[in-house]
Amino acid sequence: MLSFSSRSHAFDLSFYLGHERSLTQIKFNADGDLLFSCSKDQVINVWFSHNGERLGTYEGHNGTVWTVDVDRAPKQSKFFVSGAADNTLKLWQVSNGKCLYTWEFPTAVKRVAFNEEGNQVVCITEQRMGYQCAIRVFDINTQDGSKQSKEPKFMFNPIGSKATVCAFTLQPNIIITGHESGKVALFNAKTGEEIDNNERAHGDVVTDLQLSKDRTYCITSSKDKAARIHDTKSLIVVKTFNTETPLNSAALSPNRPYVLLGGGQEAMSVTTTSLRQGKFETRFWHKVFEEEVGRVKGHFGPINTIAVHPHGTSYASGGEDGFVRVHHFEDSYFRAKPYGDLEIID
Amino acid sequence: MSANLDDDIDYTDIEEKYEVQFDDSLDNTVVVDGIPVIDKAKLDKLLTKVCKEFSKKGVSIKSDDIFMPWDDSTGKSKGFMFVDLKNVEDANLTIANLHNHPFDAKHTFKVNRFTDIERFADLDETYVEPEVEEYTAREHLRAWLADPYGRDQYVTYRGDEVLINWHGKPSQCEVAYKPEWRDFLYVAWSPWGTYIATLHRQGVRLWGGSSWKPQQRFAHPLVKLIDFSPCENYMVTWSNEPIAVPEGAIQGPQYFSPADEGNTIAVWDIKSGDLLRTFSTQQEADSGGVKKQMQWPALKWSPDDKFVGRITPGQMISVHEVPSMYLHGKKSLKIEGVVDFEWCPLGDKDREDATSAPGKPAKKARENMLVYWTPEVSNQPARVTLLGFPSREVIRQKNLFNVSECKIFWQNQGDFLCVKVDRHTKTKKSVFCNLEIFRMREKDCPVEVVELKDSVLDFSWEPKGERFAIVSSSDPNLGNPGPGITIKTDISFYQLDRAKNDFRLLKTLPGRTSNAIRWSPRGRHVVLATVGSSTKSELEFWDLDFSVEERKEGQTDWGTNIQLLGTADHYGVTDLEWDPSGRYLATSASAWTHTLENGYAIWDFRGQELEKHIQDRFKQFTWRSRPPTLLAKEKQKQIRKNLKEYSRVFDEEDAAEESNVSAELIALRKRLVDEWNAWRSLRKKEIGEDKHEETQQVENKEEIEVWVEDVIEQTEEIIE
């Protein structure tokens, strides 16, 4: 391993405990000053990412909040959306904590994502109680948040294995999805048609999908212990990162050629499986060389979600243990060139 | 009908087959030579003695069966006799068991078949040149030592797969051989690495040479444990199943005979493959009613392979001469209460003395020594005794009091002996520990006592050194182990203070969990490890001579040269082993102990991980050991003196190779980066074009609007 790993403990870190149960997703806003976190305790928190002070909470959901996403518009962070096990999707005003609009569905909302412009939201609802897994796209009225159309702009049911994660791609109305079977696919939201797929992208359920800044590639993590970088247009697997633990989250680090992977044995199987306790570390892998460069310890349980500051100056991880840990990178992290002077395009 | 049938059948073939032949041959008669020459008066006594000797060996005869020829002119016996045995089988047994049997100090039986004697008498006296068997060159058994890179080998055993690997510089690590051995318990190297043994259901098999051909086999069914003698001449095998010799089993020097039935331990000659002797462990297990764990090795070899000792706890130590396996001096060392003993190892110096250079008068080699201890019995104190062997002279004796347990630790050169004495207070409530250290190279072996308040879990001498390390603990959980309990320990290093000539504490590392000490075979470096814990698995790499300057007499910076070089972690580690050169350490987690993350890792002496392989069902890792160097002392000195010269060559090689490797790696990385960058720029360009198109479309729209406006104006003109 490279010199990088020995330094990883040197991050300045502060951790927050605002949740009573395990974290489900965390997100930075576009400027990176705010960090949104949701958890199984039904509360959404927002924090100042530089010092860990809690700015506020958003209460209103009546079940596990599975997912949040903040609009990408810089300098404003007007809205964010959240999906929960109470079968609702809510649109919130960031600044005052008001719930602007609530959509209701027959089943739980597992994943939400804004598009680039912040005027559309895609969500996945769970396949349960006779209802099929559905993907809906809503137009967001950005002028008056409380006046939204009740009906989705598009809705379709992906055939085959249910979708677990989704995001808008570069092209309008094209959605990239990750599925329970390990499939990664592209859908036309308008027609519900599967444009392209990679059935064997992963060997097990896809747990996370995060896009690069320009949305031309994405990273997926899976319970099959691997993370992969895909081209969002052709779905070609560009890079593969094989670890020894099931992965719950994978994030791309802007400006630096690293990917961050998090996971660990599920809490319920830690004591029963023969595998080693722990492995609850955030792993840093080199994006291009597919080599592990370092690890950061800290969590007492599996890492459920990782998010990197949009400027790449810090990262946050949320764990099964109910903690959000924010790590600021030191100067040496940016100076270090463990692989020489090769210029790598972000 | 049936009567008729009977008449018709021709029985001659069956009759022939089952015809009872009267045995008129003399096959059941043997001639025993080597009988003491006596006069008539002693005849009866001799005959009873001979009969007794026979029945001891499993052949029962009466004195009537013996015919003793008599020389009437002198009135004395002729020194041999004829013995009539019940049948041919008994005669065979007699020859097998009593030929070369020592009757007393002067007389040894020579047993021959009577018919053979006749044949010997008729033997053609003319000498016929025996045909010279054509010489077939055997592979050199130590071929691996001639490796041009000077690499070491190790064997790994995983699932059903054995691999023999080379280990050297990263570029030189490769598989040396992939054997097709099947169905065996485990593998073991001989002490000098010449052979590798596999334990099969049928017995032990030895492999060796550059093509790993079978070298020898020892038919000990269901063998479980083996032990080599220090010089690789003999092997001891043990099976929990008593030896059974079925009817019609092959007989011969390499196989068990009926006389071995019921025994569990067998001693073999490695070169010939012959069975030397078998022993039983039965009596030990039965004594005291409590089945104690068997000690292994059950037989202890003297370092020069001349003697092998066996202990009968509480009674005696029996030392046998090898290869004859006769009890040395025909009697055991009767020591009441003896619990354990160890042979003193031979130092390099002793070996040199024993094989001194030609021309020089051979120095008197150090006599073999053994040390044993006896616990307190009635009024007699516990005692540690040093005994010279074969002289059986007591060299040193030390009395001890309030002893609950002793453990014997020899320094590997035989310079020092430490007896770790676990002592209890008078009330027997608390236990503490004394280290009784014997300085063997000084006159009368002075003893020094290091008293410790805590109990000592492990003790280890630095090989070829004057230091030792101990693991001590005062943890209240000590003695009642449970799941999840990791015992807190302190590690202490002691060194011989040359000025004062006693052992002094160098340094204590408090509050560890380490419970295993592994010295590098070259000394100086030591690894402390936490083994057998489910939560801790730390490895600490220490250097005890960190300062580069030579250690000086009476130096003031006592204990300051101890330096932690690195720490590492190998989860679930069960075994640690230094390579023979002392440069690398191998740690392994064996599936025999647990099934968590089995596999092995190789570290350098600083604790840098060089290799790590996590493999399911990984069982065993062992380095191939090396024989002692053949270089003369002067030559070694010379090399050490010119080390810089030699190392320069190697440094150059390393540098050349490193630049090769790194050049390859850099090229690979460059290619990867180029591919990535090419893909990225392609995508970026596409986005750019998309955006460009979009903006162009927008511009087009504007033009259209302008054009529409124009049209409107035109219509206006028309209206006007």
Side-chain angles (χ1 to χ4, degrees):
Chain A
M1 212 161 287
L2 291 142
S3 58
F4 178 77
S5 68
S6 58
R7 287 192 312 101
S8 57
H9 66 273
F11 296 127
D12 167 33
L13 84 104
S14 50
F15 61 85
Y16 320 150
L17 180 61
H19 288 288
E20 283 154 14
R21 290 194 57 197
S22 50
L23 274 294
T24 49
Q25 198 170 19
I26 53 177
K27 276 273 161 78
F28 280 99
N29 67 347
D31 294 329
D33 57 336
L34 299 179
L35 180 69
F36 293 82
S37 67
C38 59
S39 99
K40 290 188 179 171
D41 64 7
Q42 314 185 358
V43 179
I44 302 158
N45 281 319
V46 61
W47 318 79
F48 284 118
S49 68
H50 66 281
N51 62 1
E53 193 184 316
R54 180 157 58 177
L55 184 61
T57 59
Y58 301 88
E59 285 169 32
H61 274 300
N62 250 332
T64 297
V65 186
W66 287 115
T67 173
V68 288
D69 199 19
V70 199
D71 67 6
R72 282 300 126 101
K75 307 274 180 210
Q76 74 183 68
S77 293
K78 212 168 164 187
F79 302 127
F80 79 97
V81 286
S82 64
D86 59 3
N87 303 350
T88 61
L89 169 71
K90 283 177 190 287
L91 179 75
W92 307 80
Q93 179 100 31
V94 169
S95 51
N96 59 11
K98 263 192 196 151
C99 177
L100 298 174
Y101 196 81
T102 303
W103 289 269
E104 280 219 43
F105 307 111
T107 58
V109 181
K110 294 293 280 188
R111 190 80 174 190
V112 291
F114 267 106
N115 69 346
E116 185 75 38
E117 291 79 27
N119 56 15
Q120 275 186 339
V121 161
V122 61
C123 75
I124 297 179
T125 51
E126 181 76 307
Q127 167 187 337
R128 192 155 291 163
M129 300 183 295
Y131 291 98
Q132 267 188 294
C133 166
I135 296 176
R136 294 176 176 82
V137 175
F138 292 95
D139 270 330
I140 300 292
N141 178 354
T142 49
Q143 301 308 316
D144 186 350
S146 57
K147 290 207 177 98
Q148 305 289 350
S149 71
K150 199 173 172 228
E151 291 307 311
K153 190 177 180 199
F154 308 118
M155 176 184 156
F156 63 96
N157 300 104
I159 22 153
S161 171
K162 72 175 187 189
T164 50
V165 288
C166 65
F168 282 101
T169 63
L170 262 183
Q171 291 125 309
N173 295 331
I174 306 285
I175 287 159
I176 185 164
T177 54
H179 294 256
E180 198 176 29
S181 65
K183 176 172 86 169
V184 172
L186 287 175
F187 283 94
N188 186 333
K190 234 183 225 171
T191 59
E193 175 201 0
E194 190 176 280
I195 300 165
D196 198 356
N197 71 33
N198 181 0
E199 286 285 356
R200 289 206 208 137
H202 281 288
D204 206 338
V205 50
V206 179
T207 49
D208 196 9
L209 185 155
Q210 297 195 19
L211 287 161
S212 70
K213 226 173 184 177
D214 60 6
R215 298 196 180 223
T216 56
Y217 64 101
C218 66
I219 186 163
T220 57
S221 64
S222 162
K223 289 281 182 206
D224 70 357
K225 305 183 180 181
R228 292 195 163 88
I229 289 182
H230 309 262
D231 187 324
T232 50
K233 199 172 172 192
S234 60
L235 292 189
I236 290 169
V237 174
V238 184
K239 295 286 169 191
T240 301
F241 312 97
N242 283 313
T243 69
E244 67 266 45
T245 180
L247 294 178
N248 293 331
S249 188
L252 295 157
S253 166
N255 312 327
R256 298 293 290 156
Y258 304 124
V259 295
L260 283 70
L261 314 177
Q265 283 296 309
E266 273 178 58
M268 56 186 292
S269 55
V270 165
T271 47
T272 54
T273 55
S274 61
L275 275 166
R276 175 185 181 176
Q277 293 182 322
K279 301 229 155 135
F280 308 137
E281 297 136 324
T282 306
R283 293 129 201 273
F284 283 69
W285 282 63
H286 196 282
K287 191 161 73 179
V288 179
F289 303 137
E290 299 172 325
E291 284 173 41
E292 187 173 322
V293 288
R295 289 188 189 187
V296 178
K297 286 186 191 174
H299 281 286
F300 306 111
I303 292 168
N304 286 342
T305 172
I306 295 179
V308 182
H309 192 285
H311 303 151
T313 53
S314 65
Y315 84 91
S317 55
E320 188 73 22
D321 56 5
F323 284 94
V324 179
R325 304 184 73 96
V326 177
H327 298 251
H328 296 279
F329 296 121
E330 287 189 338
D331 283 349
S332 53
Y333 170 82
F334 300 100
R335 280 202 309 269
K337 284 188 177 167
Y339 293 95
D341 288 326
L342 297 166
E343 198 64 45
I344 294 165
I345 299 175
D346 194 27
Chain B
M1 269 292 271
S2 60
N4 269 348
L5 262 180
D6 277 0
D7 289 343
D8 291 346
I9 294 168
D10 182 13
Y11 284 110
T12 46
D13 54 336
I14 299 173
E15 272 165 12
E16 231 168 73
K17 197 172 167 191
Y18 291 102
E19 193 178 48
V20 179
Q21 277 187 345
F22 178 64
D23 187 9
D24 58 350
S25 74
L26 291 165
D27 283 344
N28 61 336
T29 307
V30 294
V31 182
V32 185
D33 231 321
I35 304 288
V37 175
I38 46 150
D39 39 37
K40 275 257 160 60
K42 284 187 178 167
L43 177 63
D44 281 343
K45 205 176 161 190
L46 177 71
L47 287 182
T48 33
K49 184 90 203 294
V50 169
C51 290
K52 219 166 125 188
E53 208 74 19
F54 267 62
S55 53
K56 251 196 224 167
K57 287 285 169 181
V59 192
S60 62
I61 52 162
K62 293 191 206 84
S63 43
D64 298 349
D65 299 333
I66 302 173
F67 175 73
M68 180 96 70
W70 216 256
D71 188 346
D72 289 326
S73 61
T74 56
K76 290 196 171 191
S77 72
K78 285 188 170 178
F80 64 92
M81 59 191 198
F82 302 93
V83 181
D84 277 329
L85 293 144
K86 262 180 258 149
N87 47 39
V88 184
E89 281 76 40
D90 266 9
N92 289 341
L93 193 63
T94 314
I95 291 165
N97 290 354
L98 282 133
H99 187 58
N100 282 337
H101 174 73
F103 182 56
D104 58 29
K106 281 180 195 156
H107 297 90
T108 304
F109 286 165
K110 301 279 176 196
V111 185
N112 283 297
R113 238 177 273 276
F114 181 68
T115 46
D116 284 348
I117 297 284
E118 274 180 354
R119 222 184 59 231
F120 294 152
D122 296 343
L123 214 57
D124 194 358
E125 290 285 321
T126 52
Y127 174 67
V128 182
E129 182 108 8
E131 236 177 89
V132 178
E133 218 177 293
E134 204 166 317
Y135 173 71
T136 45
R138 281 177 66 188
E139 281 174 350
H140 202 295
L141 289 174
R142 292 186 179 163
W144 95 99
L145 292 173
D147 178 52
Y149 305 120
R151 294 173 293 183
D152 275 305
Q153 286 189 340
Y154 62 85
V155 66
T156 57
Y157 180 23
R158 176 206 177 195
D160 300 322
E161 190 185 85
V162 186
L163 271 186
I164 293 161
N165 300 284
W166 284 111
H167 184 261
K169 281 186 272 186
S171 63
Q172 296 169 348
C173 295
E174 57 183 342
V175 173
Y177 184 63
K178 188 169 185 290
E180 293 290 320
W181 306 334
R182 286 279 166 269
D183 302 323
F184 54 92
L185 279 177
Y186 59 91
V187 296
W189 293 104
S190 63
W192 290 347
T194 312
Y195 307 101
I196 188 165
T198 50
L199 275 76
H200 301 264
R201 205 184 147 72
Q202 299 86 346
V204 181
R205 189 130 215 189
L206 295 186
W207 314 79
S210 50
S211 60
W212 301 94
K213 287 208 179 82
Q215 298 293 336
Q216 197 56 265
R217 41 186 241 161
F218 308 100
H220 191 165
L222 303 171
V223 60
K224 293 280 154 57
L225 292 171
I226 60 167
D227 179 39
F228 287 91
S229 74
C231 303
E232 293 188 339
N233 291 319
Y234 311 101
M235 187 164 77
V236 184
T237 57
W238 174 83
S239 163
N240 53 338
E241 295 285 324
I243 296 165
V245 182
E247 202 78 31
I250 318 164
Q251 289 292 302
Q254 305 196 344
Y255 299 95
F256 292 129
S257 70
D260 300 316
E261 285 208 32
N263 288 348
T264 50
I265 297 174
V267 185
W268 309 81
D269 186 304
I270 287 181
K271 289 199 181 73
S272 68
D274 288 354
L275 175 68
L276 296 181
R277 189 163 168 180
T278 54
F279 294 102
S280 142
T281 44
Q282 217 60 42
Q283 69 194 88
E284 294 172 34
D286 288 344
S287 67
V290 196
K291 232 184 175 180
K292 271 207 246 166
Q293 179 136 27
M294 187 188 60
Q295 277 189 5
W296 189 259
L299 303 184
K300 289 177 179 167
W301 296 90
S302 72
D304 52 2
D305 267 16
K306 280 188 184 146
F307 303 105
V308 60
R310 191 166 65 98
I311 191 164
T312 312
Q315 294 169 33
M316 59 188 174
I317 301 168
S318 315
V319 182
H320 299 260
E321 285 174 58
V322 216
S324 65
M325 291 309 287
Y326 299 137
L327 201 55
H328 178 264
K330 298 207 85 191
K331 62 176 191 262
S332 303
L333 295 155
K334 287 234 163 31
I335 304 151
E336 201 181 321
V338 61
V339 179
D340 197 13
F341 81 102
E342 292 288 344
W343 290 95
C344 168
L346 274 181
D348 291 345
K349 210 170 146 281
D350 301 318
R351 273 180 218 282
E352 223 166 85
D353 290 350
T355 57
S356 62
K360 277 190 209 164
K363 277 185 222 158
K364 197 173 167 277
R366 195 189 199 188
E367 191 190 24
N368 271 317
M369 262 184 287
L370 56 85
V371 61
Y372 62 85
W373 78 277
T374 51
E376 283 157 297
V377 265
S378 55
N379 273 335
Q380 199 182 312
R383 205 170 260 171
V384 172
T385 313
L386 269 166
L387 199 71
F389 204 89
S391 68
R392 305 192 181 209
E393 268 169 28
V394 172
I395 298 165
R396 184 80 164 82
Q397 204 160 39
K398 173 102 202 265
N399 290 345
L400 304 163
F401 302 94
N402 300 338
V403 174
S404 48
E405 178 70 38
C406 281
K407 265 234 157 103
I408 300 163
F409 298 94
W410 281 100
Q411 188 243 21
N412 76 336
Q413 298 291 305
D415 294 345
F416 305 103
L417 162 70
C418 174
V419 180
K420 177 174 87 85
V421 188
D422 292 334
R423 298 182 60 189
H424 49 81
T425 48
K426 281 252 164 66
T427 54
K428 299 204 175 181
K429 266 186 186 151
S430 56
V431 177
F432 60 103
C433 187
N434 275 11
L435 302 174
E436 312 268 342
I437 300 167
F438 295 68
R439 296 200 293 277
M440 300 302 298
R441 302 284 176 190
E442 288 167 44
K443 198 169 172 267
D444 293 333
C445 304
V447 183
E448 180 201 330
V449 185
V450 176
E451 291 196 21
L452 299 159
K453 286 194 191 70
D454 301 332
S455 33
V456 174
L457 307 182
D458 199 6
F459 176 98
S460 185
W461 283 104
E462 176 185 22
K464 302 181 184 177
E466 298 173 343
R467 287 179 285 226
F468 63 83
I470 55 168
V471 180
S472 59
S473 175
S474 54
D475 196 304
N477 278 325
L478 190 69
N480 44 320
I485 294 178
T486 309
I487 297 200
K488 283 253 173 276
T489 55
D490 302 332
I491 315 290
S492 309
F493 296 105
Y494 286 79
Q495 182 171 347
L496 180 70
D497 187 346
R498 281 263 170 224
K500 289 186 186 147
N501 222 359
D502 61 358
F503 279 90
R504 272 173 56 195
L505 181 66
L506 264 182
K507 188 170 184 151
T508 297
L509 315 168
R512 307 283 153 148
T513 55
S514 318
N515 49 17
I517 309 163
R518 291 288 185 283
W519 287 94
S520 149
R522 297 267 165 161
R524 179 171 167 179
H525 297 283
V526 65
V527 167
L528 309 174
T530 313
V531 177
S533 159
S534 53
T535 46
K536 288 266 184 179
S537 49
E538 253 184 7
L539 306 169
E540 287 185 21
F541 294 78
W542 288 86
D543 183 353
L544 268 67
D545 288 326
F546 187 68
S547 123
V548 193
E549 297 121 65
E550 282 294 304
R551 189 168 280 278
K552 288 187 189 92
E553 291 285 316
Q555 60 175 46
T556 47
D557 52 347
W558 184 258
T560 51
N561 285 343
I562 300 185
Q563 176 73 32
L564 181 65
L565 296 179
T567 54
D569 195 276
H570 183 168
Y571 180 73
V573 59
T574 56
D575 299 279
L576 301 106
E577 198 185 358
W578 282 92
D579 84 319
S581 70
R583 293 173 296 175
Y584 306 105
L585 179 85
T587 56
S588 55
S590 165
W592 285 325
T593 316
H594 59 69
T595 51
L596 309 177
E597 276 187 44
N598 298 129
Y600 69 96
I602 299 179
W603 317 77
D604 71 3
F605 68 93
R606 296 167 301 170
Q608 296 285 314
E609 183 181 283
L610 302 175
E611 279 183 58
K612 182 153 191 179
H613 305 274
I614 303 275
Q615 298 173 330
D616 289 344
R617 294 175 298 131
F618 183 84
K619 293 179 189 164
Q620 199 184 3
F621 179 106
T622 359
W623 290 103
R624 187 175 198 170
S625 26
R626 283 170 174 261
T629 178
L630 295 171
L631 281 180
K633 207 138 205 180
E634 288 78 39
K635 198 91 180 167
Q636 291 183 39
K637 259 187 200 152
Q638 208 183 325
I639 291 173
R640 219 163 280 146
K641 220 171 101 188
N642 300 330
L643 201 58
K644 284 215 173 103
E645 282 299 303
Y646 292 107
S647 65
R648 210 188 57 217
V649 180
F650 292 116
D651 285 345
E652 276 166 16
E653 269 176 30
D654 282 358
E657 194 192 288
E658 205 163 285
S659 64
N660 260 349
V661 170
S662 54
E664 264 172 49
L665 196 65
I666 286 170
L668 173 75
R669 292 205 167 127
K670 177 128 179 41
R671 208 188 48 160
L672 286 174
V673 169
D674 287 348
E675 277 171 17
W676 173 271
N677 287 350
W679 173 66
R680 291 303 304 140
S681 28
L682 182 74
R683 279 281 168 278
K684 280 197 194 288
K685 216 173 115 194
E686 277 178 16
I687 308 171
E689 274 169 12
D690 284 353
K691 286 239 170 93
H692 196 59
E693 266 172 41
E694 274 173 34
T695 48
Q696 265 188 354
Q697 273 176 6
V698 175
E699 277 166 28
N700 280 347
K701 269 183 195 166
E702 280 175 343
E703 275 177 14
I704 290 164
E705 275 174 40
V706 170
W707 189 71
V708 169
E709 270 184 88
D710 275 352
V711 170
I712 290 163
E713 273 178 285
Q714 276 180 344
T715 50
E716 277 178 350
E717 272 183 9
I718 293 164
I719 290 165
E720 276 177 359

